[in-house]
Amino acid sequence: MAGSSIDVDLLMEECDDMPDLVDMLPDGGKLPSLIDQNTQELTSKDPEEFVSVNRKRKRGKDGKDGEDIEMEEGEEKGGKKKERGGKPESEKGEKRKIPVPPHRYAPLKEKWVQIFTPCVKQLGLQIRYNMKARNVELRLPRGETDTTKLQKGADFVKAIVLGFEVDDALALVRLDHLFLESFEVADVKFSLKGEHVGRAIGRIAGKDGRTKLLIENVTKTRVVVADTKIHLLGSYQNIRVARHAICSLILGSPPSKVYGNLRNLANRTMERM
């Protein structure tokens, strides 16, 4: 199985919006974006922001505490009060929560403006970062029932949390045929222990990251190696090809053989085009 090659019948998925195949630069050149950055942005009305609620306890005439009530921020004492629980969940809109691990707090804070701008302007979602729960929360505006945009926003935020660049993650918002996939080195070969796991990860990355860059260029995907976890971003068929190449490296195939298989695949793809 270690010497297995890529199936010749495995076809690449063609798409005009994906970047063309670029040659491997000697110094490991920069990858092109998954989508054209000059694409016209969609415009939509600004969604309603989350309402901050202050909980107060109402005292009865006998001095004992009564039931809890909720008041909207800025509401006067004599204003209209909301009942316990506020509006039903169906009227508030469906919600998604994306947990953020501790080592991704700083990158998330640095790129926060780039994250919430497409979620609000292009997808029309409400977004906030819950400091207490350490989650990024996305919610549909009141009255919206279509969860397609909500799922796109959740995938976009999840891709950035996993370590993908913002420009690459934006492809999940603008294109419909892209997906995320994750697996671990132990899922491919459970018997790898200790230093052997590090060697397998080193074969995936290659010298100066050239092996990973070559896989990304040929298969038109994006690969993130985070410790023993591998994250892939791309179309279904392209992810399949990239996963096959990565699994071959984990199982011990020589990098030169994987290079040859990818080059042959790239040549066949160019001939079809």
Side-chain angles (χ1 to χ4, degrees):
M1 186 174 181
S4 63
S5 59
I6 296 180
D7 187 3
V8 295
D9 296 329
L10 208 56
L11 304 179
M12 294 287 290
E13 183 170 330
E14 300 179 6
C15 178
D16 297 333
D17 294 316
M18 300 293 289
D20 295 332
L21 176 65
V22 297
D23 294 332
M24 182 74 175
L25 300 179
D27 56 348
K30 186 177 179 181
L31 284 169
S33 176
L34 279 175
I35 52 177
D36 188 3
Q37 296 303 312
N38 296 325
T39 303
Q40 184 178 2
E41 296 184 356
L42 300 176
T43 58
S44 60
K45 297 182 180 180
D46 292 335
E48 299 177 2
E49 298 181 354
F50 286 145
V51 178
S52 177
V53 176
N54 297 326
R55 183 176 292 277
K56 295 185 178 181
R57 183 168 292 276
K58 181 179 179 181
R59 289 186 175 274
K61 296 181 180 180
D62 54 356
K64 296 182 180 180
D65 292 340
E67 62 178 11
D68 292 340
I69 59 173
E70 293 180 355
M71 297 182 63
E72 292 187 4
E73 186 178 9
E75 183 182 6
E76 298 181 358
K77 293 182 179 180
K80 184 178 180 180
K81 300 177 182 178
K82 297 171 66 178
E83 297 179 358
R84 178 193 293 267
K87 292 188 176 182
E89 193 66 25
S90 59
E91 295 184 10
K92 290 183 178 181
E94 191 169 342
K95 184 188 295 185
R96 293 280 192 279
K97 295 182 180 180
I98 299 93
V100 181
H103 68 281
R104 297 299 299 172
Y105 292 161
L108 184 72
K109 182 178 179 182
E110 180 183 353
K111 302 174 183 178
W112 182 246
V113 176
Q114 299 173 275
I115 294 173
F116 79 74
T117 300
C119 290
V120 173
K121 291 188 176 181
Q122 297 185 26
L123 299 177
L125 302 174
Q126 299 174 348
I127 180 172
R128 71 175 180 182
Y129 179 64
N130 191 326
M131 297 292 293
K132 186 176 181 180
R134 300 294 185 181
N135 291 331
V136 176
E137 298 180 358
L138 297 166
R139 192 174 74 184
L140 286 172
R142 290 189 179 96
E144 289 286 341
T145 57
D146 186 11
T147 60
T148 302
K149 293 183 177 180
L150 182 62
Q151 187 60 47
K152 280 188 174 184
D155 291 340
F156 168 65
V157 175
K158 182 180 179 181
I160 297 175
V161 170
L162 291 177
F164 292 98
E165 295 294 332
V166 176
D167 292 341
D168 295 333
L170 273 174
L172 291 167
V173 176
R174 300 179 182 177
L175 304 177
D176 295 329
H177 65 285
L178 300 184
F179 308 93
L180 286 170
E181 182 172 337
S182 301
F183 63 93
E184 296 190 28
V185 174
D187 297 335
V188 181
K189 192 172 184 181
F190 182 75
S191 60
L192 288 178
K193 302 292 182 182
E195 295 181 354
H196 297 287
V197 178
R199 293 192 184 100
I201 296 173
R203 288 194 296 271
I204 297 172
K207 184 179 179 180
D208 299 327
R210 294 185 180 183
T211 302
K212 184 174 80 73
L213 182 64
L214 179 64
I215 293 174
E216 290 176 327
N217 283 340
V218 175
T219 61
K220 298 180 181 179
T221 59
R222 294 297 176 265
V223 181
V224 170
V225 181
D227 195 18
T228 60
K229 295 183 179 180
I230 314 297
H231 308 294
L232 302 175
L233 169 62
S235 63
Y236 173 78
Q237 201 73 359
N238 295 346
I239 286 178
R240 183 184 175 190
V241 177
R243 185 178 64 244
H244 190 285
I246 293 173
C247 291
S248 298
L249 292 170
I250 294 175
L251 292 172
S253 295
S256 58
K257 185 173 184 179
V258 177
Y259 291 164
N261 292 334
L262 291 176
R263 289 296 185 188
N264 294 336
L265 178 64
N267 293 335
R268 291 198 301 270
T269 303
M270 295 300 293
E271 290 175 0
R272 292 191 188 99
M273 295 177 62

